[in-house]
Amino acid sequence: MATTRRTTTKVWLWRWRRNPLLRRSDRVEAWIMLATWLLVLLAGVLAGQGAAATVHHGLAERRAHSYAVRAVLTENAVRSPQAVSDYGDGSVWAKARWTAGDGSTHTGLVKVEPGGRTGTAVTVWTDRAGRLVSRPVNETHTRRQASLVGALAGLGAAGGVWGCGWLVRGSLERRRMVAWDREWERVGPRWRRTIG
């Protein structure tokens, strides 16, 4: 027994071709989905690039306004339950003193390696006013963070547009089903009489 293989060819852009069975709602749905995919692409790219540029600019500005300053420990950096850093990297908190760019002297808690003695020089990061700030990220990490935030923002924006498009399509589908039900109520009884 020989089996025959059927091949089907996919008809591209069938919703835009002339067809007497094609309803107006089919054409509307086709245009909605085309617009949705174009907006998904556009929103994803624009939101991703905008978010990445904003993050990159913010981190670069923060790096430009952070200054490495030489500080001196004013107490021994010993490991104790109160002095251990929350980061779990083995560092401890110790008091230090530093001089800001305007000549004012500041003191505060800084994160250092354990074992440092009073008078040991350490590097801290400050702003223009001499207040402690966290160490700025380098250019490589800035690009990486900006890319990650941009990708997430782009995916979020594209997903939001895609979801809205599918909600509109679902609404159109519900309307089409209601129209089919009405049409069947009108035609169904006559059709049953011709068969029976």
Side-chain angles (χ1 to χ4, degrees):
M1 178 180 208
T3 59
T4 59
R5 242 186 145 155
R6 287 187 183 176
T7 59
T8 58
T9 57
K10 185 169 180 133
V11 179
W12 293 97
L13 304 173
W14 66 272
R15 291 184 191 259
W16 284 279
R17 292 183 179 205
R18 220 176 265 267
N19 184 344
L21 298 177
L22 197 63
R23 298 169 303 246
R24 181 175 175 262
S25 63
D26 292 328
R27 285 190 185 90
V28 170
E29 180 183 357
W31 284 109
I32 287 172
M33 294 316 297
L34 178 64
T36 297
W37 283 113
L38 290 175
L39 287 174
V40 161
L41 187 64
L42 187 65
V45 169
L46 290 179
Q49 286 181 340
T54 301
V55 169
H56 191 276
H57 176 72
L59 291 174
E61 188 172 323
R62 185 171 157 195
R63 188 171 56 249
H65 291 83
S66 299
Y67 306 97
V69 176
R70 185 176 166 275
V72 177
L73 293 179
T74 58
E75 69 178 8
N76 292 337
V78 294
R79 185 176 294 278
S80 69
Q82 302 91 339
V84 174
S85 168
D86 295 334
Y87 300 106
D89 58 359
S91 58
V92 296
W93 292 103
K95 285 186 183 176
R97 181 180 59 243
W98 63 93
T99 303
D102 62 1
S104 60
T105 302
H106 299 270
T107 59
L109 287 174
V110 297
K111 195 169 86 165
V112 295
E113 293 297 319
R117 298 245 175 246
T118 302
T120 303
V122 294
T123 302
V124 296
W125 290 87
T126 66
D127 60 9
R128 272 197 189 135
R131 293 182 299 254
L132 287 174
V133 295
S134 58
R135 181 183 188 141
V137 294
N138 61 24
E139 182 61 31
T140 303
H141 285 100
T142 297
R143 278 195 303 270
R144 195 173 295 149
Q145 284 182 2
S147 298
L148 180 62
V149 169
L152 291 175
L155 287 173
V161 171
W162 183 80
C164 289
W166 280 98
L167 286 174
V168 170
R169 183 177 182 264
S171 173
L172 187 64
E173 183 71 25
R174 284 188 295 279
R175 281 189 201 165
R176 188 171 28 226
M177 289 300 166
V178 168
W180 282 358
D181 285 344
R182 271 191 256 125
E183 184 72 16
W184 182 249
E185 286 173 5
R186 191 172 55 83
V187 175
R190 284 187 292 173
W191 185 68
R192 281 191 213 116
R193 276 187 294 204
T194 57
I195 291 180

